[in-house]
Amino acid sequence: GAIGLVVLTLSACNVTMGTPQTASEGIGFRQARFAEMSVMKAWRDCRDEALALDQSAKVKGLASQYLASAKAIEACEANAGPEIAGLNKEERMRTIAVASLNFLKGGDMDRARSSFQNFKQYFGNADLRFPDGTSYRETMSILLTMSEPSSIGVFSVANVSPTLKSELRRARYWQRN
């Protein structure tokens, strides 16, 4: 019985002490996590600089600063590489949405479309909501004329702001009359 107890005790110690392989896996995990956090920090620093340009563009109302902000956001995404793909999805969604809106505000419709396509490619059917509850995806689709509305009724069911609906109806009226 005593020998069985000693063998059982020694086997329990062996299980809890671990092996060199599990110790190295723990270090590898920590190194990988540190690398992810470093990439995310670099991306956030870059994003913060781009958003500072965005704030400056809002204050000064300069299209060139909107474009500079959008290009800086795209550069942040490109520099981050594939390591950032799984990190903080919602934060990246908001940032890429700002880039496409800034291209639109800056007057570069082609880049706005491209940025919006990237948003849809990266995030699938995910959507964002503006503070008034309207849909980012539907608003951008209508603004970029990606889905040509066949009737005014389409504006009624789209989740876009009433001001945008009114402006689009007004523009459509003057195109036809």
Side-chain angles (χ1 to χ4, degrees):
I3 294 175
L5 184 60
V6 170
V7 169
L8 183 62
T9 305
L10 288 176
S11 67
C13 291
N14 191 18
V15 170
T16 58
M17 290 173 53
T19 63
Q21 182 182 10
T22 58
S24 67
E25 286 175 1
I27 291 171
F29 172 77
R30 287 185 186 116
Q31 288 173 338
R33 186 71 179 142
F34 179 75
E36 286 177 350
M37 297 310 294
S38 296
V39 167
M40 194 64 181
K41 182 180 179 341
W43 179 84
R44 283 184 176 142
D45 291 344
C46 181
R47 181 223 37 205
D48 290 345
E49 290 175 20
L51 292 180
L53 285 172
D54 177 59
Q55 288 300 319
S56 176
K58 286 178 186 174
V59 170
K60 296 178 182 175
L62 295 174
S64 61
Q65 284 188 332
Y66 280 116
L67 291 174
S69 171
K71 288 175 185 175
I73 289 170
E74 281 190 340
C76 295
E77 282 292 315
N79 292 339
E83 297 88 12
I84 199 168
L87 302 177
N88 209 339
K89 182 178 174 181
E90 188 173 333
E91 188 176 358
R92 288 185 55 237
M93 284 174 60
R94 287 191 308 257
T95 304
I96 292 173
V98 168
S100 60
L101 287 168
N102 283 351
F103 278 126
L104 186 68
K105 292 174 187 177
D108 192 342
M109 298 298 283
D110 291 332
R111 296 281 298 267
R113 282 186 189 97
S114 173
S115 181
F116 183 55
Q117 286 297 338
N118 288 342
F119 178 91
K120 293 192 308 187
Q121 178 186 353
Y122 295 154
F123 306 114
N125 290 329
D127 197 4
L128 296 170
R129 301 283 176 210
F130 288 113
D132 63 354
T134 57
S135 165
Y136 163 76
R137 288 177 69 104
E138 289 184 29
T139 300
M140 288 301 289
S141 291
I142 288 176
L143 286 174
L144 296 172
T145 62
M146 296 180 105
S147 56
E148 291 291 329
S150 59
S151 70
I152 291 179
V154 172
F155 295 141
S156 298
V157 296
N159 186 11
V160 297
S161 74
T163 306
L164 177 61
K165 288 178 188 180
S166 173
E167 188 62 26
L168 291 171
R169 285 183 181 123
R170 184 187 67 76
R172 191 159 196 205
Y173 172 81
W174 287 110
Q175 283 177 345
R176 291 182 174 178
N177 297 322

